């Protein structure tokens, strides 16, 4: 048995419930692994404003779950990205369970199911056909694409009420279709939608379908639930519109069907201790049967599940005599100790993530970055294996001025790890790979910053990582991680990802169209850049669509992230968040 993959407890799912469970288990010194399929944080990360989480007057979903993740890691929980394919009892070692993933197996005493739920597709005509091209599920990510246009919102719960109000920041008018006779959420939340003059509400109404012309969605049909009477609707200005669906969620429980008891809707049945029908398997969060699905109830579930998983794991360890390697220090303390062992005598170990203090006085004050960001940057810079050159291509726009100021300050803070060169707008010099030309399939568009390295002869060579626009907002962290991946050693790869990246021999170009307000885009950018950093045959370029409307029009983008993938003369356009493994799946399929 591989002891490196033996845990007291494994948490499947990295949303609020899973992260809370991981934090509680690790804090109690149980070896804990949290496996997330896509990106840590769960559905709440797409919420623009959170005002009802106790003790936190106002925040957003991304910031809240980022703090949860940090807490779990600080206590020593191990986090990994993977796709769980099954759970079974270990036939060779009584008391252990095997968690199968696409990247290998893990063993543990207790399992906590926290996979959450995904937005429900309601099945109106055109829903799948126009997904990403007029039909959307995230107001924070895609609302800006409908600035000055009409929007239809479908749903009558918390999300529909809250997001319809949020969409009035962009839309000329919001038409809200509520299937029931009234909202099904808290009256105070619903009242904000009812009182908004830019929201027109139709109760007892369901969407039948949408149709599109050359410019986008231009016609919708809805009907009365009571009478069946249908209404054909078009925007008053004769233009196009968008549809946002907030019709509840579907529990992500397919992987445990037949393993634990589910209700007719697919939700996990669990008792007040979060115990499912299978001993040692617990459930927490939105996937279980309960009355209220909110972040606060998810975290409560996670804590309860963790405490009971602790007791189960302790009993099984005593019964079997199997003792997984316990967590004696947080992840960061372990990193510091390992760094100290690897450093020559008399040197100071590199600081751990998010906990370091800059020793360089000139890096303590910045007009661009706050103190916390500078601390994080110092960690990244201290761990970069080689220096990088940031090549700017600028024009006469304000965006170019903003980019130059941003990169100049980043270089200043880097303590020599970064330098900058500025080129006139035009065709970038050959990239040295002999197979790409910048203007061939990926559009050349200033302003941009390309990450470059110097070869053994001192010549600048592109790494394949480029950002068009100013990498701020949610894209700031993905850009910084791009620097780390390009300089090395880079973020660790999981399972056979390194072998799959090495196996890409054809010139492969990945263009990611993003919005700086999109919480799902950074993971996709990070994934594409991680692949490009590890293989010179791959090029990854991110574009802020706010500055490049011609790309939005060319690819009919009404949702981000939009992935335009070129390989061997073949092209595909995909939408939605992708991790490294999922991006490799797209490349392999092309």
């Amino acid at each position: 048995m591989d002891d490196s993959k033996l845990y007291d407890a494994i948490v499947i799912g990295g949303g609020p419930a899973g992260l809370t469970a991981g934090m509680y288990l690790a804090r109690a010194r149980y070896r804990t692994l949290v496996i997330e399929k896509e990106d840590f944080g769960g559905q709440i990360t797409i919420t623009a404003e959170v005002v009802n989480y106790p003790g936190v007057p106002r925040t957003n979903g991304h910031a809240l779950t980022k703090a949860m993740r940090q807490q779990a890691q600080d206590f020593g929980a191990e986090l990994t990205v993977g796709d769980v394919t099954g759970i079974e009892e270990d036939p060779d070692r009584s008391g252990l369970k095997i968690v199968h993933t696409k990247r290998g197996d893990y063993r543990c005493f207790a399992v906590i199911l926290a996979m959450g739920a995904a937005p429900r597709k309601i099945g109106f005509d055109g829903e799948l056909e126009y997904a990403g091209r007029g039909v959307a599920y995230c107001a924070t990510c895609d609302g800006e694409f409908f600035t000055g246009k009409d929007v239809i919102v479908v749903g009558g719960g918390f999300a529909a009420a809250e997001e319809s109000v949020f969409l009035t920041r962009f839309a000329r008018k919001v038409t809200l279709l509520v299937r029931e006779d009234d909202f099904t959420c808290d009256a105070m939340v619903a009242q904000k939608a009812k009182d908004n003059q830019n929201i027109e509400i139709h109760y007892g109404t369901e969407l039948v379908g949408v149709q599109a012309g050359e410019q986008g969605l231009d016609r919708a049909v809805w009907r009365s639930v009571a009478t069946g009477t249908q209404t054909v609707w078009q925007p008053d200005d004769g233009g196009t519109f968008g549809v946002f669906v907030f019709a509840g969620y579907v529990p992500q429980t397919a992987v445990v069907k037949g393993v634990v008891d589910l209700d007719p809707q697919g939700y996990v049945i669990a008792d007040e201790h979060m115990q499912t029908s299978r001993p040692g398997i617990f459930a927490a969060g939105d996937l279980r049967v309960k009355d209220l699905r909110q972040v606060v109830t998810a975290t409560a579930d996670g804590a309860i599940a963790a405490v009971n998983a602790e007791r189960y794991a302790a009993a099984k360890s005593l019964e079997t005599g199997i003792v997984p390697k316990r967590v004696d220090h947080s992840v960061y303390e372990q990193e510091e100790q390992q760094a100290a062992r690897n450093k020559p005598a008399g040197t100071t170990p590199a600081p751990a993530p998010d906990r370091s203090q800059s020793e360089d006085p000139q890096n303590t004050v910045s007009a661009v970055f706050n103190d916390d960001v500078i601390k994080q940057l110092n960690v990244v810079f201290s761990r970069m294996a080689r220096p990088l050159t940031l090549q700017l291509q600028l024009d006469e726009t304000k965006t170019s001025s903003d980019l130059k100021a941003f990169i100049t300050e980043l270089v200043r803070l880097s303590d020599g790890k970064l330098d900058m060169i500025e080129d006139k707008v035009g065709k970038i010099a050959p990239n040295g790979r002999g197979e790409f030309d910048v203007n061939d399939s990926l559009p050349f568009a200033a302003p941009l910053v390309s990450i470059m390295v110097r070869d053994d002869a001192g010549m600048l060579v592109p790494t394949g990582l480029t950002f068009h626009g100013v990498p701020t907002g949610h894209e700031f962290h993905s850009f910084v991680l791009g620097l780390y991946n390009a300089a090395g050693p880079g973020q660790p790869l999981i399972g056979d990802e390194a072998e799959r990246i090495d196996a890409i021999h054809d010139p492969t170009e990945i263009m990611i169209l993003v919005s700086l307000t999109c919480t799902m885009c950074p993971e996709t950018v990070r994934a594409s850049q991680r692949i490009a950093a590890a293989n010179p045959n791959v090029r990854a370029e991110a574009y802020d669509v706010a500055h490049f409307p011609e790309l939005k029009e060319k690819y009919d983008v009404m949702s981000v992230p939009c992935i335009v993938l070129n390989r061997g003369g073949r092209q595909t356009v995909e939408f939605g968040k992708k991790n490294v493994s999922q991006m490799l799946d797209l490349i392999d399929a092309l």
Side-chain angles (χ1 to χ4, degrees):
M1 181 171 58
D2 184 356
D3 288 343
S4 69
K5 293 188 174 182
L6 175 62
Y7 294 85
D8 291 292
I10 292 177
V11 182
I12 306 174
L19 291 173
T20 302
M23 178 182 70
Y24 269 71
L25 284 159
R27 185 172 182 268
R29 295 296 188 262
Y30 288 89
R31 191 180 185 202
T32 305
L33 177 67
V34 182
I35 305 175
E36 167 57 38
K37 182 178 181 180
E38 294 183 342
D39 195 18
F40 289 90
Q43 291 297 324
I44 190 62
T45 58
I46 67 175
T47 300
E49 187 174 67
V50 177
V51 296
N52 60 347
Y53 192 79
V56 183
R58 187 177 300 274
T59 186
N60 61 67
H62 178 78
L64 181 62
T65 54
K66 180 182 177 183
M68 293 179 183
R69 176 177 178 174
Q70 189 65 63
Q71 283 180 292
Q73 289 180 301
D74 283 347
F75 282 119
E78 299 174 41
L79 276 58
T80 189
V81 175
D83 194 352
V84 174
T85 58
I87 304 169
E88 65 173 345
E89 302 294 328
D90 190 333
D92 300 321
R93 302 293 296 271
S94 177
L96 290 177
K97 293 176 173 59
I98 303 176
V99 176
H100 300 287
T101 79
K102 290 183 177 180
R103 300 287 176 256
D105 295 341
Y106 301 90
R107 285 170 170 79
C108 62
F109 295 121
V111 174
I112 296 178
L113 308 176
M115 295 88 76
R120 183 185 301 278
K121 308 292 190 298
I122 60 178
F124 60 85
D125 292 342
E127 181 175 16
L128 298 181
E129 180 181 358
Y130 299 114
R133 293 182 170 88
V135 177
Y137 301 86
C138 173
T140 306
C141 302
D142 302 331
E144 65 179 295
F145 293 114
F146 301 95
T147 300
K149 298 180 180 292
D150 280 18
V151 162
I152 295 175
V153 171
V154 182
F158 277 97
E162 291 178 339
E163 303 298 355
S164 63
V165 174
F166 174 79
L167 285 167
T168 60
R169 301 181 187 182
F170 308 100
R172 185 179 67 87
K173 176 185 175 183
V174 174
T175 300
L176 180 54
L177 307 183
V178 181
R179 195 177 190 281
E180 307 300 328
D181 293 333
D182 200 352
F183 287 90
T184 58
C185 62
D186 180 86
M188 182 177 295
V189 176
Q191 197 62 46
K192 292 181 180 180
K194 293 177 180 180
D195 292 342
N196 195 300
Q197 295 182 352
N198 289 329
I199 299 176
E200 179 181 304
I201 305 174
H202 296 263
Y203 297 103
T205 304
E206 59 186 6
L207 185 61
V208 175
V210 294
Q211 298 175 10
E214 293 183 0
Q215 302 300 319
L217 299 183
D218 59 11
R219 182 183 299 246
V221 178
W222 59 66
R223 67 176 165 225
S224 165
V225 174
T227 67
T229 302
Q230 294 194 357
T231 300
V232 178
W233 175 88
Q234 292 179 286
D236 293 338
D237 63 358
T240 60
F241 63 92
V243 175
F244 285 81
V245 180
F246 304 108
Y249 293 86
V250 178
Q252 301 298 284
T253 55
V255 72
V256 293
K257 186 177 182 180
V259 178
V260 299
D261 289 346
L262 308 177
D263 77 354
Q265 287 72 46
Y267 288 92
V268 177
I269 299 172
D271 63 19
E272 62 181 1
H273 305 293
M274 306 298 140
Q275 173 67 62
T276 70
S277 59
R278 179 69 66 89
I281 299 183
F282 303 84
D286 287 355
L287 56 62
R288 79 177 191 90
V289 177
K290 60 181 185 176
D291 292 333
L292 180 64
R293 293 181 174 87
Q294 292 280 283
V295 179
V296 69
T297 64
T299 56
D301 286 357
I304 295 169
V307 169
N308 287 286
E310 291 171 19
R311 295 168 181 166
Y312 183 89
K316 285 297 179 183
S317 180
L318 183 64
E319 175 186 318
T320 62
I322 301 172
V323 181
K325 182 180 179 181
R326 301 293 180 177
V327 177
D328 296 322
H329 304 280
S330 76
V331 170
Y332 299 144
E333 290 168 338
Q334 293 175 36
E335 287 183 352
E336 288 173 343
Q337 292 175 358
Q338 184 63 45
R341 289 192 290 270
N342 293 339
K343 286 281 185 178
T347 62
T348 302
D354 297 328
R355 299 176 61 197
S356 64
Q357 298 289 337
S358 170
E359 296 181 0
D360 184 354
Q362 71 175 351
N363 288 353
T364 60
V365 178
S366 171
V368 178
F369 306 110
N370 62 36
D371 290 345
D372 289 338
V373 171
I374 292 174
K375 293 175 185 177
Q376 295 176 34
L377 287 173
N378 287 337
V379 171
V380 173
F381 294 145
S382 70
R383 296 186 174 185
M384 286 169 52
R386 58 180 175 177
L388 300 172
T389 295
L390 303 182
Q391 181 189 49
L392 301 184
Q393 295 274 332
L394 306 175
D395 53 25
E396 300 302 320
T397 63
K398 182 180 183 301
T399 305
S400 281
S401 298
D402 292 342
L403 176 61
K404 183 175 181 179
F406 176 88
I407 297 299
T408 299
E409 183 67 357
L410 199 64
V411 170
R412 186 184 75 83
L413 295 171
S414 71
D415 194 24
K417 291 298 180 73
L418 303 175
D419 66 4
M420 178 182 75
I421 60 174
E422 181 181 339
D423 289 343
K424 295 180 180 179
V425 172
K427 196 170 184 177
I428 298 177
N431 58 24
R433 301 173 194 166
E435 296 174 308
F436 293 149
D437 183 281
V438 172
N439 286 334
D440 281 351
S441 55
L442 289 183
F444 170 78
L448 63 83
V449 52
S450 294
I451 301 175
M452 316 282 281
V453 294
R454 293 192 181 276
D455 61 17
D456 293 340
M459 299 295 293
L460 281 179
V461 179
T463 62
L465 282 64
T466 298
F467 191 94
H468 299 254
V470 186
T472 54
H474 289 300
E475 288 305 323
F476 172 71
H477 293 287
S478 60
F479 181 74
V480 173
L481 286 174
L483 297 176
Y484 179 58
N485 289 329
Q491 295 171 284
L493 295 166
I494 298 169
D496 63 351
E497 288 176 347
E499 290 78 8
R500 295 178 69 191
I501 293 173
D502 288 341
I504 302 173
H505 302 301
D506 299 329
T508 302
E509 301 159 337
I510 309 171
M511 179 169 68
I512 312 293
L513 306 182
V514 304
S515 166
L516 300 185
T517 63
C518 172
T519 57
M520 296 189 289
C521 293
E523 172 66 13
T524 307
V525 173
R526 286 195 294 266
S528 62
Q529 291 183 340
R530 185 65 185 93
I531 296 169
N535 188 323
N537 294 317
V538 181
R539 187 154 50 114
E541 304 207 11
Y543 290 78
D544 177 3
V545 295
H547 297 300
F548 303 105
E550 66 277 11
L551 296 179
K552 174 179 175 293
E553 181 177 345
K554 177 177 180 179
Y555 295 104
D556 194 19
V557 178
M558 291 293 180
S559 180
V560 287
C562 173
I563 306 161
V564 182
L565 185 62
N566 287 279
R567 185 184 188 190
R570 301 177 299 277
Q571 183 181 94
T572 186
V573 179
E574 299 281 344
F575 293 89
K577 181 171 61 176
K578 306 293 179 186
N579 57 35
V580 171
S581 179
Q582 293 166 327
M583 188 68 74
L584 288 169
D585 290 341
L586 289 180
I587 294 172
D588 291 342
L590 189 61

